[in-house]
Amino acid sequence: MVNQAERVLSGPALWSAQAHMPSVLGRQIVIERAQGSYLYTANGQRLFDGTAGLWHANVGHSHPELAQAAFLQMQTLETYHIFGRYLNDKAVQLGEVLADISPIADPKVILNSGGSDAIDVACKLARRHWQAEGRTSKTLILSRDFAYHGLHAFGTSIAGLQFNRDGYGTESLVPETARISTHDIAAVEATIAEIGADKIAALVAEPVQGTGGVNPPAPGYLEGLQRLCRENDILLIADEVITGFGRTGDMFATERYKLEPDLITFAKGVTSGYAPLGGVLVSPCIWERFYRSGDDTPIFRHGATYAGHATACAVALRHLELLEEEKLLPRVKELEIVLTDGLRQLERLPGVADTRVAGLLGGISLAEDISAERVTDALVDEGFVTRPLRGNTIQISPPFITTDDELRDLLGAIEIALSNQDGKL
Ligand code: PLP
């Protein structure tokens, strides 16, 4: 018997993310290579990637065109920063392409390294906006119950999953945040009235909540948020880190749900994870003040060495072409039908409490006596990666290149795993 101390010492030095370390040590799954929708582990197992990693590998893994784009760019210019007068050509080009496809008209584009970064920027910029407007009491950021916006300081502070906020000694790591109801617009209205709109800078919302359990918006909910933001001078930030670049079948979920946000955060799907890149689309009502000529024009004091990283931008540019060339957005719409049908079948099982779908995002909530964690573990043994989410939910979000049969096989494997687990919590 290997005791826990030996297990720790013999385990990797690498500290896993979001893991209860004693539970994962000795059972970690090391991915060595991947092709398309399949992963290959260090111990020789082939796994279907039913979650596209962390909802990011949209075009599938190890695409040669993207490897080539990175290789060519690194031989030309690995990167150059974009502080002050300096820019690099690939960041400029990506800005133009993103502005062209942005649901926000005439946006400016801020680039950084991922989703948590993008959230930090959007929240800082929202607060900076109201300070510059002279409405200095507008500092608070609202977010939804069950929301996930990454785990940097702002993401931690606006998390709607309480366990991500706990343990830092104050109610909120960054002060001045509050939660709103995820489904009930009347309750949101009451919260805004209670706090006072004169204190609220922005409201952040994932159009479809991901980590919170794959929760598409209740009918009228997002429209209600939009209205309340307009009526109360609250900036609306759509967090499209998961939904951006096709996950719901439109380029942005903002389009699917006809939202008009002031800021859109994006990451994952801009490169399908081939390079760490994220950013924010910013509407003119915010950026204009920072572009007006004048000595007293404010500076937005934000930036990082890798903001607009040239290699990441070159990969993003080729990646956005691939989405078009491989017709992946219409494909998501086709797969949504297959997923919807499959989930409807699963709903008949006694082990399934509820299913939800929006584009190629699916959630299966299990009955109380079956553990999503155990089912997802059992599925790995059968060759399928899924993930347990809040609400005893199983995440389904394979790459856009998945075939109908592969998606049906995944759902079939879930059905078998559920019948094997019946009553075993
Ligand atoms: N926002 C949403 C909606 C997310 O799902 C995530 C990550 O899953 C983030 C932000 C944070 O992104 P990242 O992990 O790239 O920092």
Side-chain angles (χ1 to χ4, degrees), residues 105-117:
D106 303 320
K108 295 296 180 194
V109 181
I110 295 178
L111 294 175
N112 50 44
S113 307
S116 301
D117 281 2

Side-chain angles (χ1 to χ4, degrees), residues 116-129:
S116 301
D117 281 2
I119 286 291
D120 263 10
V121 171
C123 294
K124 273 179 75 173
L125 187 51
R127 288 184 58 149
R128 190 72 188 83
H129 171 77

Side-chain angles (χ1 to χ4, degrees), residues 257-269:
Y257 297 111
K258 304 194 173 25
L259 277 176
E260 292 178 10
D262 303 293
L263 298 146
I264 296 177
T265 53
F266 61 87
K268 305 178 189 279

Side-chain angles (χ1 to χ4, degrees), residues 281-295:
L281 305 173
V282 183
S283 71
C285 74
I286 296 171
W287 63 253
E288 268 165 356
R289 155 185 324 282
F290 295 89
Y291 276 70
R292 244 176 245 155
S293 59
D295 289 343

Side-chain angles (χ1 to χ4, degrees), residues 372-411:
E373 192 152 353
R374 285 183 68 138
V375 173
T376 53
D377 278 347
L379 281 163
V380 172
D381 298 336
E382 301 308 317
F384 297 90
V385 173
T386 55
R387 209 161 70 104
L389 301 174
R390 186 203 68 87
N392 208 22
T393 296
I394 299 177
Q395 169 185 339
I396 311 291
S397 57
F400 301 171
I401 55 164
T402 297
T403 65
D404 292 6
D405 283 345
E406 285 169 332
L407 183 52
R408 289 193 190 103
D409 286 351
L410 170 65
L411 298 173

